[in-house]
Amino acid sequence: MTTAAIPRTRAGTIACASLALIAFAANSILCRRALGRESIDPATFSTIRLACGAVALMVFARVRRSRTFPLGGTWTSAILLFLYSVPFSFAYLSLGAGTGALVLFGSVQATMMVAAIRSGERPHPLQWLGLALALGGLVYLVFPGLRAPSAAGSALMAIAGMSWGIYSLRGRGTANPLLETAGNFTRAVPPALLVSLVLLRQVHVTPAGALLAIASGVLASGGGYVLWYAALTGLTATRAAFVQLPVPVLTAVAGVVFLSETVSLRLALASILILGGVALALLGRERLRHPGVSLHGASRSL
């Protein structure tokens, strides 16, 4: 075995994918709750999250294998992971959970679509339309005006999203994604710790803040990736991307329920533009690969 347990049935794939998406949405909720209540500083939250995520991933990898294994990953991917996790935490000083998740998701998907175009992929007209809608939704969301989110927070989250998008592209085709991710998490801890040392005067940690960071690292990050790798064994690349569409919506709903946040008209309209644009772009890619595919057939998540 090289990765997570492989779902043997469609139901197993659905269960793993659903739990993974809940875990990814939980990352935003846990981070926002910790920072919104000033239970911990963002640099320390990032360091604890990465360190605990590394431990959780290595423990699971060790359980899945009966012998010792080398540390996977690369320093380049680790730096990209660092550039995702640290700006992610600092962004949630000023962004709501739903807004942050939407900017993150939109930036990730836009980065991956642009990378596909730069690599020589000839986009379907639906892909161009989808990219334009998604980018337009991001611009509308952060454009100065009434109820616009923090510009600094949005910029930090966009950096996090672009970094995660490039990180994901680098990880395509990895033989042992679990071991690679464990190694990248481990290597990302020292630079995160360095940020904490540079900002030592701002460091503050309460027991509640530490527990939230640990939960983010062990459950939402480590556990989420394990479940996602398991789900990917039963999903095509396009269907996997479709499955991720509800994450910002899940996060926004959870923000209302657990953090008493509100969903503004701007956020709702931007969500429609961004998620709709991504869906059109994914549909365009599916039609390029299977010219005769119908809207109904391409839109089935599993």
Side-chain angles (χ1 to χ4, degrees), residues 109-128 131 169 172 237-238 278 280-290:
Q109 295 299 325
T111 298
M112 298 183 80
M113 284 189 280
V114 170
I117 294 171
R118 285 177 57 86
S119 68
E121 182 177 299
R122 289 187 173 184
H124 187 280
L126 283 177
Q127 288 179 279
W128 284 118
L131 180 59
L169 290 170
R172 290 184 303 181
T238 301
V278 171
L280 280 176
L282 292 172
L283 178 59
R285 173 172 288 188
E286 187 77 358
R287 286 192 168 183
L288 278 178
R289 293 176 178 173
H290 308 285

PDB file of all heavy atoms in Angstrom, residues 109-128 131 169 172 237-238 278 280-290:
ATOM      1  N   GLN A 109      -8.361  27.681  -8.321  1.00  0.00           N
ATOM      2  CA  GLN A 109      -8.882  27.216  -9.598  1.00  0.00           C
ATOM      3  C   GLN A 109      -8.408  28.096 -10.758  1.00  0.00           C
ATOM      4  O   GLN A 109      -8.090  27.587 -11.841  1.00  0.00           O
ATOM      5  CB  GLN A 109     -10.410  27.158  -9.550  1.00  0.00           C
ATOM      6  CG  GLN A 109     -10.959  26.148  -8.560  1.00  0.00           C
ATOM      7  CD  GLN A 109     -10.539  24.731  -8.872  1.00  0.00           C
ATOM      8  OE1 GLN A 109     -10.409  24.349 -10.027  1.00  0.00           O
ATOM      9  NE2 GLN A 109     -10.306  23.930  -7.837  1.00  0.00           N
ATOM     10  N   ALA A 110      -8.364  29.414 -10.552  1.00  0.00           N
ATOM     11  CA  ALA A 110      -7.883  30.310 -11.603  1.00  0.00           C
ATOM     12  C   ALA A 110      -6.420  30.018 -11.929  1.00  0.00           C
ATOM     13  O   ALA A 110      -6.017  30.005 -13.104  1.00  0.00           O
ATOM     14  CB  ALA A 110      -8.049  31.770 -11.173  1.00  0.00           C
ATOM     15  N   THR A 111      -5.617  29.774 -10.899  1.00  0.00           N
ATOM     16  CA  THR A 111      -4.199  29.452 -11.108  1.00  0.00           C
ATOM     17  C   THR A 111      -4.044  28.186 -11.936  1.00  0.00           C
ATOM     18  O   THR A 111      -3.229  28.122 -12.873  1.00  0.00           O
ATOM     19  CB  THR A 111      -3.489  29.266  -9.755  1.00  0.00           C
ATOM     20  OG1 THR A 111      -3.553  30.494  -9.025  1.00  0.00           O
ATOM     21  CG2 THR A 111      -2.033  28.870  -9.948  1.00  0.00           C
ATOM     22  N   MET A 112      -4.827  27.167 -11.612  1.00  0.00           N
ATOM     23  CA  MET A 112      -4.713  25.898 -12.326  1.00  0.00           C
ATOM     24  C   MET A 112      -5.230  26.010 -13.761  1.00  0.00           C
ATOM     25  O   MET A 112      -4.670  25.400 -14.684  1.00  0.00           O
ATOM     26  CB  MET A 112      -5.455  24.807 -11.554  1.00  0.00           C
ATOM     27  CG  MET A 112      -4.878  24.574 -10.172  1.00  0.00           C
ATOM     28  SD  MET A 112      -5.657  23.240  -9.245  1.00  0.00           S
ATOM     29  CE  MET A 112      -4.863  21.813  -9.972  1.00  0.00           C
ATOM     30  N   MET A 113      -6.264  26.817 -13.978  1.00  0.00           N
ATOM     31  CA  MET A 113      -6.763  27.007 -15.334  1.00  0.00           C
ATOM     32  C   MET A 113      -5.761  27.784 -16.184  1.00  0.00           C
ATOM     33  O   MET A 113      -5.514  27.441 -17.345  1.00  0.00           O
ATOM     34  CB  MET A 113      -8.118  27.726 -15.297  1.00  0.00           C
ATOM     35  CG  MET A 113      -9.284  26.827 -14.892  1.00  0.00           C
ATOM     36  SD  MET A 113     -10.894  27.621 -15.099  1.00  0.00           S
ATOM     37  CE  MET A 113     -10.970  28.624 -13.612  1.00  0.00           C
ATOM     38  N   VAL A 114      -5.169  28.831 -15.614  1.00  0.00           N
ATOM     39  CA  VAL A 114      -4.160  29.607 -16.343  1.00  0.00           C
ATOM     40  C   VAL A 114      -2.952  28.735 -16.661  1.00  0.00           C
ATOM     41  O   VAL A 114      -2.385  28.813 -17.761  1.00  0.00           O
ATOM     42  CB  VAL A 114      -3.745  30.847 -15.530  1.00  0.00           C
ATOM     43  CG1 VAL A 114      -2.522  31.525 -16.156  1.00  0.00           C
ATOM     44  CG2 VAL A 114      -4.900  31.839 -15.442  1.00  0.00           C
ATOM     45  N   ALA A 115      -2.553  27.896 -15.713  1.00  0.00           N
ATOM     46  CA  ALA A 115      -1.418  26.999 -15.938  1.00  0.00           C
ATOM     47  C   ALA A 115      -1.704  26.038 -17.084  1.00  0.00           C
ATOM     48  O   ALA A 115      -0.817  25.742 -17.901  1.00  0.00           O
ATOM     49  CB  ALA A 115      -1.098  26.222 -14.670  1.00  0.00           C
ATOM     50  N   ALA A 116      -2.940  25.540 -17.168  1.00  0.00           N
ATOM     51  CA  ALA A 116      -3.309  24.633 -18.253  1.00  0.00           C
ATOM     52  C   ALA A 116      -3.211  25.328 -19.601  1.00  0.00           C
ATOM     53  O   ALA A 116      -2.727  24.759 -20.590  1.00  0.00           O
ATOM     54  CB  ALA A 116      -4.718  24.097 -18.030  1.00  0.00           C
ATOM     55  N   ILE A 117      -3.643  26.588 -19.648  1.00  0.00           N
ATOM     56  CA  ILE A 117      -3.570  27.356 -20.892  1.00  0.00           C
ATOM     57  C   ILE A 117      -2.119  27.617 -21.280  1.00  0.00           C
ATOM     58  O   ILE A 117      -1.719  27.466 -22.444  1.00  0.00           O
ATOM     59  CB  ILE A 117      -4.345  28.683 -20.738  1.00  0.00           C
ATOM     60  CG1 ILE A 117      -5.842  28.398 -20.568  1.00  0.00           C
ATOM     61  CG2 ILE A 117      -4.116  29.586 -21.951  1.00  0.00           C
ATOM     62  CD1 ILE A 117      -6.662  29.619 -20.185  1.00  0.00           C
ATOM     63  N   ARG A 118      -1.289  27.974 -20.302  1.00  0.00           N
ATOM     64  CA  ARG A 118       0.126  28.242 -20.567  1.00  0.00           C
ATOM     65  C   ARG A 118       0.866  26.984 -21.020  1.00  0.00           C
ATOM     66  O   ARG A 118       1.858  27.068 -21.741  1.00  0.00           O
ATOM     67  CB  ARG A 118       0.799  28.810 -19.315  1.00  0.00           C
ATOM     68  CG  ARG A 118       0.433  30.265 -19.034  1.00  0.00           C
ATOM     69  CD  ARG A 118       1.080  30.736 -17.734  1.00  0.00           C
ATOM     70  NE  ARG A 118       2.518  30.582 -17.772  1.00  0.00           N
ATOM     71  CZ  ARG A 118       3.372  31.475 -18.265  1.00  0.00           C
ATOM     72  NH1 ARG A 118       2.891  32.599 -18.789  1.00  0.00           N
ATOM     73  NH2 ARG A 118       4.665  31.271 -18.240  1.00  0.00           N
ATOM     74  N   SER A 119       0.395  25.830 -20.596  1.00  0.00           N
ATOM     75  CA  SER A 119       1.067  24.583 -20.968  1.00  0.00           C
ATOM     76  C   SER A 119       0.742  24.149 -22.392  1.00  0.00           C
ATOM     77  O   SER A 119       1.271  23.150 -22.881  1.00  0.00           O
ATOM     78  CB  SER A 119       0.684  23.470 -19.994  1.00  0.00           C
ATOM     79  OG  SER A 119      -0.677  23.115 -20.146  1.00  0.00           O
ATOM     80  N   GLY A 120      -0.140  24.905 -23.060  1.00  0.00           N
ATOM     81  CA  GLY A 120      -0.451  24.586 -24.443  1.00  0.00           C
ATOM     82  C   GLY A 120      -1.834  24.013 -24.655  1.00  0.00           C
ATOM     83  O   GLY A 120      -2.218  23.715 -25.788  1.00  0.00           O
ATOM     84  N   GLU A 121      -2.608  23.860 -23.585  1.00  0.00           N
ATOM     85  CA  GLU A 121      -3.964  23.336 -23.741  1.00  0.00           C
ATOM     86  C   GLU A 121      -4.821  24.347 -24.496  1.00  0.00           C
ATOM     87  O   GLU A 121      -4.818  25.532 -24.191  1.00  0.00           O
ATOM     88  CB  GLU A 121      -4.569  23.064 -22.360  1.00  0.00           C
ATOM     89  CG  GLU A 121      -5.961  22.473 -22.404  1.00  0.00           C
ATOM     90  CD  GLU A 121      -6.494  22.144 -21.026  1.00  0.00           C
ATOM     91  OE1 GLU A 121      -5.871  21.314 -20.328  1.00  0.00           O
ATOM     92  OE2 GLU A 121      -7.521  22.730 -20.637  1.00  0.00           O
ATOM     93  N   ARG A 122      -5.526  23.883 -25.507  1.00  0.00           N
ATOM     94  CA  ARG A 122      -6.410  24.760 -26.272  1.00  0.00           C
ATOM     95  C   ARG A 122      -7.782  24.805 -25.601  1.00  0.00           C
ATOM     96  O   ARG A 122      -8.539  23.835 -25.672  1.00  0.00           O
ATOM     97  CB  ARG A 122      -6.565  24.249 -27.706  1.00  0.00           C
ATOM     98  CG  ARG A 122      -5.312  24.414 -28.552  1.00  0.00           C
ATOM     99  CD  ARG A 122      -5.610  24.038 -29.986  1.00  0.00           C
ATOM    100  NE  ARG A 122      -4.498  24.339 -30.857  1.00  0.00           N
ATOM    101  CZ  ARG A 122      -4.513  24.190 -32.178  1.00  0.00           C
ATOM    102  NH1 ARG A 122      -5.618  23.724 -32.756  1.00  0.00           N
ATOM    103  NH2 ARG A 122      -3.468  24.493 -32.903  1.00  0.00           N
ATOM    104  N   PRO A 123      -8.095  25.905 -24.962  1.00  0.00           N
ATOM    105  CA  PRO A 123      -9.336  25.961 -24.187  1.00  0.00           C
ATOM    106  C   PRO A 123     -10.582  25.896 -25.067  1.00  0.00           C
ATOM    107  O   PRO A 123     -10.630  26.440 -26.169  1.00  0.00           O
ATOM    108  CB  PRO A 123      -9.250  27.310 -23.462  1.00  0.00           C
ATOM    109  CG  PRO A 123      -7.815  27.706 -23.535  1.00  0.00           C
ATOM    110  CD  PRO A 123      -7.303  27.131 -24.813  1.00  0.00           C
ATOM    111  N   HIS A 124     -11.590  25.218 -24.557  1.00  0.00           N
ATOM    112  CA  HIS A 124     -12.923  25.232 -25.150  1.00  0.00           C
ATOM    113  C   HIS A 124     -13.528  26.611 -24.854  1.00  0.00           C
ATOM    114  O   HIS A 124     -13.184  27.238 -23.847  1.00  0.00           O
ATOM    115  CB  HIS A 124     -13.747  24.116 -24.495  1.00  0.00           C
ATOM    116  CG  HIS A 124     -15.091  23.897 -25.125  1.00  0.00           C
ATOM    117  ND1 HIS A 124     -16.169  24.700 -24.836  1.00  0.00           N
ATOM    118  CD2 HIS A 124     -15.534  22.955 -26.004  1.00  0.00           C
ATOM    119  CE1 HIS A 124     -17.226  24.260 -25.520  1.00  0.00           C
ATOM    120  NE2 HIS A 124     -16.860  23.209 -26.234  1.00  0.00           N
ATOM    121  N   PRO A 125     -14.403  27.139 -25.717  1.00  0.00           N
ATOM    122  CA  PRO A 125     -15.033  28.441 -25.424  1.00  0.00           C
ATOM    123  C   PRO A 125     -15.653  28.509 -24.027  1.00  0.00           C
ATOM    124  O   PRO A 125     -15.646  29.565 -23.390  1.00  0.00           O
ATOM    125  CB  PRO A 125     -16.101  28.562 -26.523  1.00  0.00           C
ATOM    126  CG  PRO A 125     -15.525  27.802 -27.673  1.00  0.00           C
ATOM    127  CD  PRO A 125     -14.793  26.641 -27.052  1.00  0.00           C
ATOM    128  N   LEU A 126     -16.202  27.378 -23.552  1.00  0.00           N
ATOM    129  CA  LEU A 126     -16.777  27.369 -22.203  1.00  0.00           C
ATOM    130  C   LEU A 126     -15.706  27.621 -21.148  1.00  0.00           C
ATOM    131  O   LEU A 126     -15.986  28.217 -20.104  1.00  0.00           O
ATOM    132  CB  LEU A 126     -17.472  26.035 -21.926  1.00  0.00           C
ATOM    133  CG  LEU A 126     -18.852  25.826 -22.561  1.00  0.00           C
ATOM    134  CD1 LEU A 126     -19.366  24.429 -22.244  1.00  0.00           C
ATOM    135  CD2 LEU A 126     -19.831  26.877 -22.062  1.00  0.00           C
ATOM    136  N   GLN A 127     -14.466  27.154 -21.407  1.00  0.00           N
ATOM    137  CA  GLN A 127     -13.388  27.395 -20.454  1.00  0.00           C
ATOM    138  C   GLN A 127     -13.035  28.877 -20.388  1.00  0.00           C
ATOM    139  O   GLN A 127     -12.795  29.427 -19.308  1.00  0.00           O
ATOM    140  CB  GLN A 127     -12.159  26.565 -20.827  1.00  0.00           C
ATOM    141  CG  GLN A 127     -12.319  25.074 -20.564  1.00  0.00           C
ATOM    142  CD  GLN A 127     -11.095  24.301 -20.971  1.00  0.00           C
ATOM    143  OE1 GLN A 127     -10.902  23.982 -22.139  1.00  0.00           O
ATOM    144  NE2 GLN A 127     -10.247  23.998 -20.005  1.00  0.00           N
ATOM    145  N   TRP A 128     -12.988  29.543 -21.557  1.00  0.00           N
ATOM    146  CA  TRP A 128     -12.714  30.983 -21.559  1.00  0.00           C
ATOM    147  C   TRP A 128     -13.821  31.741 -20.819  1.00  0.00           C
ATOM    148  O   TRP A 128     -13.540  32.640 -20.018  1.00  0.00           O
ATOM    149  CB  TRP A 128     -12.626  31.493 -22.997  1.00  0.00           C
ATOM    150  CG  TRP A 128     -11.347  31.148 -23.699  1.00  0.00           C
ATOM    151  CD1 TRP A 128     -11.203  30.375 -24.816  1.00  0.00           C
ATOM    152  CD2 TRP A 128     -10.026  31.579 -23.346  1.00  0.00           C
ATOM    153  NE1 TRP A 128      -9.872  30.289 -25.172  1.00  0.00           N
ATOM    154  CE2 TRP A 128      -9.137  31.021 -24.292  1.00  0.00           C
ATOM    155  CE3 TRP A 128      -9.516  32.373 -22.318  1.00  0.00           C
ATOM    156  CZ2 TRP A 128      -7.760  31.232 -24.246  1.00  0.00           C
ATOM    157  CZ3 TRP A 128      -8.136  32.588 -22.265  1.00  0.00           C
ATOM    158  CH2 TRP A 128      -7.278  32.026 -23.214  1.00  0.00           C
ATOM    159  N   LEU A 131     -13.501  31.036 -17.053  1.00  0.00           N
ATOM    160  CA  LEU A 131     -12.383  31.761 -16.450  1.00  0.00           C
ATOM    161  C   LEU A 131     -12.727  33.238 -16.291  1.00  0.00           C
ATOM    162  O   LEU A 131     -12.438  33.853 -15.253  1.00  0.00           O
ATOM    163  CB  LEU A 131     -11.129  31.585 -17.312  1.00  0.00           C
ATOM    164  CG  LEU A 131      -9.857  32.278 -16.813  1.00  0.00           C
ATOM    165  CD1 LEU A 131      -9.479  31.782 -15.426  1.00  0.00           C
ATOM    166  CD2 LEU A 131      -8.710  32.052 -17.790  1.00  0.00           C
ATOM    167  N   LEU A 169      -0.349  21.440  -8.660  1.00  0.00           N
ATOM    168  CA  LEU A 169       0.135  21.093  -9.993  1.00  0.00           C
ATOM    169  C   LEU A 169       1.455  20.325  -9.913  1.00  0.00           C
ATOM    170  O   LEU A 169       1.684  19.392 -10.682  1.00  0.00           O
ATOM    171  CB  LEU A 169       0.319  22.367 -10.825  1.00  0.00           C
ATOM    172  CG  LEU A 169      -0.972  23.086 -11.250  1.00  0.00           C
ATOM    173  CD1 LEU A 169      -0.653  24.434 -11.851  1.00  0.00           C
ATOM    174  CD2 LEU A 169      -1.750  22.234 -12.240  1.00  0.00           C
ATOM    175  N   ARG A 172       0.964  16.497  -9.136  1.00  0.00           N
ATOM    176  CA  ARG A 172       0.252  15.593 -10.041  1.00  0.00           C
ATOM    177  C   ARG A 172       1.138  14.409 -10.424  1.00  0.00           C
ATOM    178  O   ARG A 172       2.313  14.561 -10.732  1.00  0.00           O
ATOM    179  CB  ARG A 172      -0.184  16.326 -11.307  1.00  0.00           C
ATOM    180  CG  ARG A 172      -1.292  17.327 -11.097  1.00  0.00           C
ATOM    181  CD  ARG A 172      -1.746  17.938 -12.404  1.00  0.00           C
ATOM    182  NE  ARG A 172      -0.622  18.565 -13.109  1.00  0.00           N
ATOM    183  CZ  ARG A 172      -0.741  19.203 -14.278  1.00  0.00           C
ATOM    184  NH1 ARG A 172      -1.922  19.257 -14.870  1.00  0.00           N
ATOM    185  NH2 ARG A 172       0.302  19.757 -14.849  1.00  0.00           N
ATOM    186  N   ALA A 237     -10.055  13.365 -12.754  1.00  0.00           N
ATOM    187  CA  ALA A 237      -9.561  14.694 -12.374  1.00  0.00           C
ATOM    188  C   ALA A 237     -10.667  15.740 -12.461  1.00  0.00           C
ATOM    189  O   ALA A 237     -10.815  16.593 -11.578  1.00  0.00           O
ATOM    190  CB  ALA A 237      -8.388  15.084 -13.276  1.00  0.00           C
ATOM    191  N   THR A 238     -11.454  15.691 -13.536  1.00  0.00           N
ATOM    192  CA  THR A 238     -12.520  16.686 -13.701  1.00  0.00           C
ATOM    193  C   THR A 238     -13.603  16.516 -12.653  1.00  0.00           C
ATOM    194  O   THR A 238     -14.100  17.483 -12.080  1.00  0.00           O
ATOM    195  CB  THR A 238     -13.133  16.582 -15.110  1.00  0.00           C
ATOM    196  OG1 THR A 238     -12.099  16.796 -16.077  1.00  0.00           O
ATOM    197  CG2 THR A 238     -14.230  17.612 -15.303  1.00  0.00           C
ATOM    198  N   VAL A 278     -16.159  28.427 -12.556  1.00  0.00           N
ATOM    199  CA  VAL A 278     -15.323  27.230 -12.428  1.00  0.00           C
ATOM    200  C   VAL A 278     -16.052  26.018 -13.002  1.00  0.00           C
ATOM    201  O   VAL A 278     -15.457  25.186 -13.703  1.00  0.00           O
ATOM    202  CB  VAL A 278     -14.934  26.992 -10.955  1.00  0.00           C
ATOM    203  CG1 VAL A 278     -14.256  25.634 -10.792  1.00  0.00           C
ATOM    204  CG2 VAL A 278     -14.000  28.097 -10.472  1.00  0.00           C
ATOM    205  N   LEU A 280     -18.299  25.977 -15.390  1.00  0.00           N
ATOM    206  CA  LEU A 280     -18.278  26.067 -16.853  1.00  0.00           C
ATOM    207  C   LEU A 280     -16.918  25.685 -17.408  1.00  0.00           C
ATOM    208  O   LEU A 280     -16.815  24.989 -18.429  1.00  0.00           O
ATOM    209  CB  LEU A 280     -18.626  27.494 -17.286  1.00  0.00           C
ATOM    210  CG  LEU A 280     -20.104  27.876 -17.284  1.00  0.00           C
ATOM    211  CD1 LEU A 280     -20.261  29.348 -17.640  1.00  0.00           C
ATOM    212  CD2 LEU A 280     -20.882  27.010 -18.261  1.00  0.00           C
ATOM    213  N   ALA A 281     -15.846  26.136 -16.741  1.00  0.00           N
ATOM    214  CA  ALA A 281     -14.498  25.811 -17.205  1.00  0.00           C
ATOM    215  C   ALA A 281     -14.245  24.307 -17.134  1.00  0.00           C
ATOM    216  O   ALA A 281     -13.648  23.717 -18.034  1.00  0.00           O
ATOM    217  CB  ALA A 281     -13.467  26.560 -16.369  1.00  0.00           C
ATOM    218  N   LEU A 282     -14.714  23.688 -16.066  1.00  0.00           N
ATOM    219  CA  LEU A 282     -14.543  22.239 -15.932  1.00  0.00           C
ATOM    220  C   LEU A 282     -15.366  21.495 -16.978  1.00  0.00           C
ATOM    221  O   LEU A 282     -14.919  20.485 -17.540  1.00  0.00           O
ATOM    222  CB  LEU A 282     -14.958  21.797 -14.524  1.00  0.00           C
ATOM    223  CG  LEU A 282     -14.053  22.284 -13.384  1.00  0.00           C
ATOM    224  CD1 LEU A 282     -14.683  21.938 -12.044  1.00  0.00           C
ATOM    225  CD2 LEU A 282     -12.670  21.677 -13.494  1.00  0.00           C
ATOM    226  N   LEU A 283     -16.558  21.999 -17.251  1.00  0.00           N
ATOM    227  CA  LEU A 283     -17.396  21.389 -18.278  1.00  0.00           C
ATOM    228  C   LEU A 283     -16.728  21.515 -19.643  1.00  0.00           C
ATOM    229  O   LEU A 283     -16.746  20.577 -20.446  1.00  0.00           O
ATOM    230  CB  LEU A 283     -18.766  22.056 -18.295  1.00  0.00           C
ATOM    231  CG  LEU A 283     -19.758  21.559 -19.361  1.00  0.00           C
ATOM    232  CD1 LEU A 283     -20.021  20.062 -19.187  1.00  0.00           C
ATOM    233  CD2 LEU A 283     -21.059  22.349 -19.288  1.00  0.00           C
ATOM    234  N   GLY A 284     -16.107  22.679 -19.906  1.00  0.00           N
ATOM    235  CA  GLY A 284     -15.397  22.865 -21.165  1.00  0.00           C
ATOM    236  C   GLY A 284     -14.250  21.890 -21.320  1.00  0.00           C
ATOM    237  O   GLY A 284     -14.023  21.330 -22.396  1.00  0.00           O
ATOM    238  N   ARG A 285     -13.516  21.635 -20.233  1.00  0.00           N
ATOM    239  CA  ARG A 285     -12.409  20.665 -20.291  1.00  0.00           C
ATOM    240  C   ARG A 285     -12.949  19.266 -20.557  1.00  0.00           C
ATOM    241  O   ARG A 285     -12.375  18.498 -21.328  1.00  0.00           O
ATOM    242  CB  ARG A 285     -11.628  20.694 -18.976  1.00  0.00           C
ATOM    243  CG  ARG A 285     -10.571  19.606 -18.895  1.00  0.00           C
ATOM    244  CD  ARG A 285      -9.684  19.759 -17.681  1.00  0.00           C
ATOM    245  NE  ARG A 285      -8.777  20.882 -17.836  1.00  0.00           N
ATOM    246  CZ  ARG A 285      -7.780  21.151 -16.987  1.00  0.00           C
ATOM    247  NH1 ARG A 285      -7.596  20.379 -15.936  1.00  0.00           N
ATOM    248  NH2 ARG A 285      -6.995  22.177 -17.185  1.00  0.00           N
ATOM    249  N   GLU A 286     -14.076  18.930 -19.919  1.00  0.00           N
ATOM    250  CA  GLU A 286     -14.670  17.608 -20.125  1.00  0.00           C
ATOM    251  C   GLU A 286     -15.112  17.447 -21.582  1.00  0.00           C
ATOM    252  O   GLU A 286     -14.957  16.382 -22.177  1.00  0.00           O
ATOM    253  CB  GLU A 286     -15.865  17.437 -19.186  1.00  0.00           C
ATOM    254  CG  GLU A 286     -16.466  16.039 -19.178  1.00  0.00           C
ATOM    255  CD  GLU A 286     -15.655  15.042 -18.376  1.00  0.00           C
ATOM    256  OE1 GLU A 286     -14.583  15.421 -17.847  1.00  0.00           O
ATOM    257  OE2 GLU A 286     -16.083  13.882 -18.294  1.00  0.00           O
ATOM    258  N   ARG A 287     -15.634  18.502 -22.168  1.00  0.00           N
ATOM    259  CA  ARG A 287     -16.088  18.422 -23.560  1.00  0.00           C
ATOM    260  C   ARG A 287     -14.906  18.305 -24.523  1.00  0.00           C
ATOM    261  O   ARG A 287     -15.026  17.700 -25.590  1.00  0.00           O
ATOM    262  CB  ARG A 287     -16.943  19.639 -23.900  1.00  0.00           C
ATOM    263  CG  ARG A 287     -18.326  19.580 -23.273  1.00  0.00           C
ATOM    264  CD  ARG A 287     -19.246  20.634 -23.847  1.00  0.00           C
ATOM    265  NE  ARG A 287     -20.620  20.392 -23.450  1.00  0.00           N
ATOM    266  CZ  ARG A 287     -21.647  21.119 -23.848  1.00  0.00           C
ATOM    267  NH1 ARG A 287     -21.457  22.139 -24.674  1.00  0.00           N
ATOM    268  NH2 ARG A 287     -22.868  20.843 -23.448  1.00  0.00           N
ATOM    269  N   LEU A 288     -13.765  18.912 -24.169  1.00  0.00           N
ATOM    270  CA  LEU A 288     -12.581  18.757 -25.005  1.00  0.00           C
ATOM    271  C   LEU A 288     -12.120  17.311 -25.023  1.00  0.00           C
ATOM    272  O   LEU A 288     -11.691  16.785 -26.050  1.00  0.00           O
ATOM    273  CB  LEU A 288     -11.450  19.657 -24.495  1.00  0.00           C
ATOM    274  CG  LEU A 288     -11.475  21.122 -24.917  1.00  0.00           C
ATOM    275  CD1 LEU A 288     -10.313  21.868 -24.278  1.00  0.00           C
ATOM    276  CD2 LEU A 288     -11.393  21.244 -26.437  1.00  0.00           C
ATOM    277  N   ARG A 289     -12.197  16.661 -23.860  1.00  0.00           N
ATOM    278  CA  ARG A 289     -11.741  15.271 -23.766  1.00  0.00           C
ATOM    279  C   ARG A 289     -12.759  14.302 -24.351  1.00  0.00           C
ATOM    280  O   ARG A 289     -12.408  13.266 -24.895  1.00  0.00           O
ATOM    281  CB  ARG A 289     -11.483  14.920 -22.298  1.00  0.00           C
ATOM    282  CG  ARG A 289     -10.300  15.685 -21.708  1.00  0.00           C
ATOM    283  CD  ARG A 289     -10.133  15.402 -20.238  1.00  0.00           C
ATOM    284  NE  ARG A 289      -8.979  16.099 -19.694  1.00  0.00           N
ATOM    285  CZ  ARG A 289      -8.664  16.140 -18.401  1.00  0.00           C
ATOM    286  NH1 ARG A 289      -9.438  15.522 -17.524  1.00  0.00           N
ATOM    287  NH2 ARG A 289      -7.609  16.789 -17.979  1.00  0.00           N
ATOM    288  N   HIS A 290     -14.066  14.646 -24.196  1.00  0.00           N
ATOM    289  CA  HIS A 290     -15.134  13.784 -24.699  1.00  0.00           C
ATOM    290  C   HIS A 290     -16.121  14.672 -25.467  1.00  0.00           C
ATOM    291  O   HIS A 290     -17.110  15.135 -24.898  1.00  0.00           O
ATOM    292  CB  HIS A 290     -15.845  13.079 -23.543  1.00  0.00           C
ATOM    293  CG  HIS A 290     -14.912  12.370 -22.625  1.00  0.00           C
ATOM    294  ND1 HIS A 290     -14.304  11.180 -22.949  1.00  0.00           N
ATOM    295  CD2 HIS A 290     -14.447  12.699 -21.395  1.00  0.00           C
ATOM    296  CE1 HIS A 290     -13.522  10.786 -21.952  1.00  0.00           C
ATOM    297  NE2 HIS A 290     -13.591  11.689 -21.002  1.00  0.00           N
TER     298      HIS A 290
END
